[in-house]
Amino acid sequence: LAGLPLPDAQCLYAGAGWVSPPALVREWLTLPAVTLRCHSAVAQLQAVDGSGWQALDAQDQVIAQADVVVLASAHDTPRLLQGHTDVALWPLQRRRGQVTQVPASVAEATGLPRPRLPLASGGYLIALPDALGGGVLCGATSQACDEDTAVRADDHRHNLRQIDALIGVHTEWRDEAVAALQGKVGWRLATDDRLPVVGAVPLCMAQMAGLRRLDQPRHVPRVAGLYVMTALGSRGLTWAALLGEALAACVSGAPVPLSASVLDAVDPARFVARVARRPSTAVAGASS
């Protein structure tokens, strides 16, 4: 089915596939009631009594106003949450990743196979259509505390070794072949428990002094009208649609397509609950 022999037994996900992220985003932006505003950097969020929230630019001018705000701004989210919640409690990690694109000519010259189906196990191998340049795409690296924007040969070699593990064939890559590879560098936001952060933003700890039952996320008081969807890690497109639907249901009061235990697992208030469970650092009066 994959079009090449594989070293181990594999699972076939008959309804799965791959998607071009820019194409998917463009499609989502055509949905009714979606308005795209570019070149409108938000410097801060400001709560307005009785009027919801305002997004302000660097000159304190109002960019937009709404009853509800959802922050889906990846590693820029903590900056916008400052003053609204104890975002320093959130164990967020910014991780660098590099993907490798092997041009069709290089893949042919090195004997790199083009699978009929995407292969994934740790790394991945995807044959690109001619409209996207042909060749294959593989990846990806994951490095913490790394802000290097340059595409690196060592990272290409890491991704190529992952291909070897997927197809069970060792391919020799000369320096000139590696130099001909293309790539892209980006950053993912993740958490220490590898789960996203989705839901209503909890109040600051100082505002909850004396409250009980904070050891359960669902009992933590929230900032009115302020929600977050971030830290999707390396599974952004896999999780985004379902989590977006769940968050919209939470905001609007519609039935939520996730269980209560899953909502607790991704709730931003789980970080407050962790603190409340530590007797030495619990909020005054909170149950432990």
Side-chain angles (χ1 to χ4, degrees):
L1 292 173
L4 69 161
L6 299 175
D8 304 296
Q10 305 290 326
C11 294
L12 173 65
Y13 292 89
W18 67 274
V19 67
S20 167
L24 180 60
V25 171
R26 285 193 295 269
E27 176 66 22
W28 281 342
L29 289 174
T30 66
L31 294 174
V34 173
T35 301
L36 174 64
R37 291 187 57 178
C38 299
H39 311 293
S40 301
V42 178
Q44 62 174 311
L45 290 176
Q46 177 175 278
V48 181
D49 290 341
S51 302
W53 293 85
Q54 291 178 339
L56 307 180
D57 64 16
Q59 288 73 44
D60 291 334
Q61 298 299 308
V62 177
I63 301 172
Q65 183 163 325
D67 295 331
V68 170
V69 172
V70 177
L71 291 178
S73 47
H75 54 265
D76 199 40
T77 301
R79 178 183 65 83
L80 293 172
L81 285 175
Q82 291 289 343
H84 302 297
T85 190
D86 296 304
V87 69
L89 294 176
W90 301 13
L92 300 174
Q93 305 171 359
R94 178 175 154 96
R95 303 189 67 86
R96 178 188 181 276
Q98 178 176 314
V99 298
T100 298
Q101 183 172 347
V102 184
S105 58
V106 177
E108 183 177 353
T110 57
L112 187 64
R114 288 172 52 84
R116 293 198 198 103
L117 299 173
L119 304 178
S121 179
Y124 58 82
L125 177 63
I126 301 172
L128 296 175
D130 292 339
L132 294 177
V136 299
L137 188 72
C138 62
T141 62
S142 180
Q143 298 119 341
C145 304
D146 190 337
E147 297 296 319
D148 186 8
T149 60
V151 175
R152 303 190 297 226
D154 285 347
D155 287 355
H156 280 325
R157 292 189 181 279
H158 168 87
N159 292 336
L160 295 170
R161 287 193 296 271
Q162 289 185 312
I163 293 180
D164 288 347
L166 282 172
I167 63 177
V169 176
H170 178 68
T171 306
E172 291 290 343
W173 287 86
R174 298 181 180 275
D175 291 343
E176 56 268 26
V178 174
L181 302 178
Q182 301 167 5
K184 182 179 180 181
V185 175
W187 282 264
R188 314 176 186 95
L189 189 69
T191 59
D192 63 348
D193 57 15
R194 297 178 178 266
L195 291 172
V197 182
V198 181
V201 172
L203 290 175
C204 292
M205 299 289 278
Q207 297 173 281
M208 296 186 286
L211 296 183
R212 299 180 59 82
R213 303 183 70 185
L214 297 179
D215 56 332
Q216 295 297 322
R218 67 191 67 180
H219 299 309
V220 174
R222 311 304 172 113
V223 180
L226 184 58
Y227 298 80
V228 66
M229 180 170 165
T230 191
L232 273 64
S234 59
R235 301 174 179 86
L237 289 182
T238 306
W239 286 347
L242 176 59
L243 291 176
E245 183 179 349
L247 183 57
C250 291
V251 172
S252 63
V256 181
L258 293 174
S259 67
S261 60
V262 172
L263 291 176
D264 283 348
V266 301
D267 194 329
R270 69 186 188 268
F271 307 125
V272 174
R274 289 182 190 177
V275 174
R277 294 188 192 110
R278 303 176 199 149
S280 60
T281 57
V283 178
S287 60
S288 60

